[in-house]
Amino acid sequence: GAAVALLIVVPAWTPRQRRGFLVALLPALVVLKVTASGLLGTLGAYFTGLFSTTGDGSVYSTRISAFSLDWPYISSRPLFGRGWATFLPATYSWTDDMYYHMLIETGIVGLICLILLYLAGIQCAAGGRRKTHDPCRRHFGQALVAAIAAVVVTSATFDSLSFPMLGGLIFLVLGIAGAYDGIMNAEEYASALLADNGNLAMSS
C-alpha cells in the first residue's frame, strides 16, 4: 500500500521535493534498521513467503486454496450473494480478500458496486486536481488518489471493510474526494465567470 501510494504521489512532486525525499529515504532506512532490528528482514521474508506456493502465509494456501472451499456459496447465489456480514470467519472460513468476500456476501452486483465506488473516488480526486492550478490543492488531490489506490490494492490482501475503523476511514476519504471535486468545480466556475466579467468590462 505504501509503495502504491508513493508511486502515485512522488511523480506529482516538484524536482526539489523528489530530491529531498530520496536524500531522506536512505538515512530513514538506516535508522529503522538500527532502532527496529530485524523489521526489514521480517518484511522481506513476509513478502517472499506471501507469493510462494507453500507455507501457511502464502497466497496459495490462504487464498487460492480457499476458492474451491468457498465456491459453493458463490455459485448458489451469484448475483446478490448470501447477505452482507453473514459470512462469519468463526462459522465458515477466512477469505483474506475483500473482493472475494464481497462476491460471497453481495454477489456480482455488490462486487461491481464496490469497484465502481473506488473508481468514482479516484475520478473525483483526479478530476478535482485537474481543475485547480494551486500547487497545494493539486498535491492534496493527488494524495487522495494515492490513498484510495492504496485501499484498492490492499483490499485484495485482507477483508478491509470488516474492520470498522478502516471501513469508516475508507468512506471518509471517498467522501472527502467527492467534496474536493465539488469545491474545485465551484472555484473553477467562479474563476471562469470572473474572467468573463473582466473581458466584458474591458470590451465595454
Side-chain angles (χ1 to χ4, degrees), residues 6-193:
L6 287 174
L7 286 173
I8 294 174
V9 172
V10 171
W13 290 348
T14 63
R16 182 179 179 182
Q17 289 173 322
R18 287 196 291 268
R19 286 194 299 269
F21 169 72
L22 293 175
V23 168
L25 180 61
L26 291 178
L29 291 177
V30 172
V31 171
L32 188 62
K33 178 70 175 177
V34 173
T35 57
S37 180
L39 178 61
L40 295 180
T42 300
L43 289 174
Y46 169 75
F47 284 106
T48 301
L50 189 64
F51 297 101
S52 68
T53 57
T54 59
D56 293 335
S58 67
V59 170
Y60 178 83
S61 61
T62 59
R63 294 173 179 83
I64 296 178
S65 61
F67 292 166
S68 59
L69 179 65
D70 300 327
W71 182 252
Y73 301 116
I74 299 174
S75 59
S76 63
R77 297 177 181 177
L79 286 180
F80 297 101
R82 55 183 290 109
W84 176 258
T86 59
F87 194 74
L88 306 177
T91 306
Y92 301 99
S93 65
W94 296 91
T95 56
D96 281 336
D97 185 333
M98 193 62 229
Y99 302 110
Y100 191 57
H101 197 88
M102 287 290 291
L103 190 59
I104 295 172
E105 291 191 341
T106 62
I108 296 171
V109 174
L111 178 60
I112 292 174
C113 288
L114 179 66
I115 295 172
L116 289 177
L117 184 66
Y118 287 156
L119 292 177
I122 292 174
Q123 172 59 33
C124 284
R129 183 182 183 276
R130 290 192 295 267
K131 294 169 186 172
T132 180
H133 299 287
D134 181 81
C136 291
R137 296 189 176 193
R138 287 178 64 85
H139 287 318
F140 183 74
Q142 194 74 1
L144 288 173
V145 173
I148 300 171
V151 169
V152 170
V153 172
T154 56
S155 289
T157 63
F158 74 115
D159 47 335
S160 54
L161 295 181
S162 298
F163 296 84
M165 184 178 293
L166 182 59
L169 182 61
I170 290 171
F171 283 96
L172 175 63
V173 172
L174 290 171
I176 292 172
Y180 169 78
D181 183 46
I183 292 170
M184 294 302 101
N185 187 56
E187 290 188 357
E188 182 187 43
Y189 176 76
S191 298
L193 188 62

